Amino acid sequence: MKSFRLSAAALLVPLALLASACSGASAAGDTSTDGKGSLVLNVGDQKGGSEALLRASGELDDLPYRVKWSTFTSGPPLLEAVNAKAVDFGTVGNTPPVFAAGAGSKITVIAATHSDSAGEAILVPKGSPLRTARDLKGKSVAVAQGSAAHFLLIASLRKAGLELADVRVSLLQPADALAAFTSGKVDAWAVWDPYTSQVLLSGKGRVLSDGRGLVNGLGFQVAAPSALADKEKAKAIGDFVERLRRAQGWVFDHPEEWAQVWAKETGLPYEVALAAVKRSYGTRIPVALDDAAVASEQEIADTFVKLRLVPRTFRFADYVDTRFDKDLPPSTTPARSYGKAS
């Protein structure tokens, strides 16, 4: 397999693309139609996200409504827009809803996916003497504050009999963390795909531990309560969720085709995109928003409350609407797998 030199610039390309905003997006609170009587669904997205996925899989064909897309750099600002009624709906990971709910935002979690957690990992340089999470005691670890990787680090240390206070945490966003990791300024880096795949393909790092058995591997679709209260918009949101579920199945069956699209959309090298698809993104399956899903999110919420990163205690169940679950399997159902390739 062709190797890649690991550099901050290599990943700053997709980060720069992620920072771009979609022009012409209007606020959901302004109008529900396009002036021609057609219903408009305002969807928050990230670069290489739902729009690219639905278009590649053919799920944007024959829509009975019109979609206006707004692009965000990550999950938290997308949920801020949901709270402000600037968008009706969007897809995020497992921690942004916790922080949004903890801040009292008006959001409703309406659908879930479960993926393999191998892409969430604590990485160390290839020649590092560290072998287990217990070896992190007294070491420096880079992590993005409040991210899924932040919870992974906490859970990994807890399993090893350690606490967060036992390590020296450097709160860094991925671009800065990458630079710190490659220059040897930190001993380890808790992160997620595609950064995990980038580091592994570069040959500059290895996995100390990953998220399997430690994190829930959940992702969520989140809607504005006001949109759900609108009968026609709620119907459109339900249809959109079904299209996303079918598209996720398409990705699993067409990993190379999706990796090409994803690489083009984000600026990732194709081989990195393909590795991330097979390690994590392509393994997603739609699952129910059941008691187990709610309980695992509640654990994340309570953990961050204790760290004073979330300002208040709350019931995650109060932010969940299961009307679109249908006959989906339990949230603990194993994710799809590409075998050893994943």
Side-chain angles (χ1 to χ4, degrees):
M1 180 179 291
K2 183 180 178 182
S3 63
F4 287 85
R5 179 162 44 170
L6 184 65
S7 68
L11 282 178
L12 285 176
V13 173
L15 284 172
L17 286 171
L18 285 171
S20 64
C22 180
S23 62
S26 66
D30 292 340
T31 180
S32 293
T33 64
D34 59 4
K36 299 179 182 179
S38 298
L39 178 71
V40 176
L41 189 62
N42 295 273
V43 179
D45 198 15
Q46 298 179 51
K47 205 70 175 177
S50 297
E51 182 178 11
L53 172 60
L54 293 170
R55 195 174 303 283
S57 62
E59 290 294 342
L60 284 184
D61 298 340
D62 303 318
L63 283 175
Y65 45 85
R66 194 161 67 87
V67 176
K68 296 187 76 172
W69 301 91
S70 298
T71 306
F72 298 86
T73 57
S74 62
L78 191 160
L79 292 188
E80 288 175 11
V82 171
N83 176 58
K85 302 180 184 179
V87 297
D88 299 313
F89 172 90
T91 299
V92 298
N94 65 350
T95 57
V98 165
F99 281 84
S105 297
K106 294 180 175 62
I107 63 163
T108 303
V109 178
I110 61 168
T113 59
H114 181 219
S115 63
D116 193 319
S117 298
E120 295 181 52
I122 298 176
L123 305 174
V124 294
K126 193 170 183 179
S128 171
L130 307 182
R131 295 296 169 186
T132 69
R134 186 160 186 79
D135 296 332
L136 290 172
K137 185 173 183 178
K139 304 300 182 181
S140 57
V141 186
V143 66
Q145 180 167 306
S147 65
H150 200 166
F151 182 75
L152 167 64
L153 175 60
I154 295 166
S156 299
L157 293 172
R158 184 187 299 157
K159 183 178 179 181
L162 301 175
E163 297 180 358
L164 202 58
D166 291 319
V167 301
R168 291 182 286 120
V169 177
S170 294
L171 297 174
L172 300 172
Q173 290 302 308
D176 293 330
L178 174 64
F181 181 81
T182 56
S183 64
K185 292 182 179 178
V186 294
D187 298 302
W189 182 18
V191 73
W192 56 90
D193 255 335
Y195 301 100
T196 299
S197 293
Q198 178 86 8
V199 170
L200 296 181
L201 281 179
S202 75
K204 297 296 181 79
R206 59 178 172 80
V207 173
L208 182 76
S209 63
D210 63 34
R212 289 171 168 169
L214 292 175
V215 298
N216 61 26
L218 297 177
F220 298 105
Q221 277 81 50
V222 181
S226 58
L228 294 173
D230 182 313
K231 184 177 179 180
E232 292 305 312
K233 277 207 169 180
K235 182 179 179 181
I237 288 171
D239 175 79
F240 197 88
V241 167
E242 286 299 316
R243 290 172 186 268
L244 282 174
R245 288 168 176 165
R246 292 194 297 267
Q248 286 156 2
W250 176 87
V251 166
F252 180 73
D253 292 333
H254 302 83
E256 292 85 2
E257 189 174 343
W258 170 240
Q260 289 178 344
V261 173
W262 194 28
K264 183 178 179 180
E265 288 282 329
T266 61
L268 286 168
Y270 167 75
E271 286 81 356
V272 172
L274 181 60
V277 168
K278 291 192 172 184
R279 181 172 285 107
S280 51
Y281 291 112
T283 69
R284 293 172 179 165
I285 58 167
V287 294
L289 276 170
D290 54 18
D291 291 344
V294 171
S296 65
E297 288 295 297
Q298 188 68 56
E299 180 186 1
I300 295 173
D302 293 343
T303 296
F304 283 124
V305 167
K306 289 179 182 178
L307 291 173
R308 298 184 180 179
L309 294 175
V310 169
R312 69 185 182 96
T313 300
F314 65 94
R315 292 181 69 252
F316 190 80
D318 293 341
Y319 293 85
V320 172
D321 185 331
T322 62
R323 74 176 78 175
F324 302 113
D325 266 7
K326 298 187 176 180
D327 297 321
L328 291 174
S331 62
T332 53
T333 301
R336 296 180 172 107
S337 173
Y338 292 96
K340 291 184 178 180
S342 65

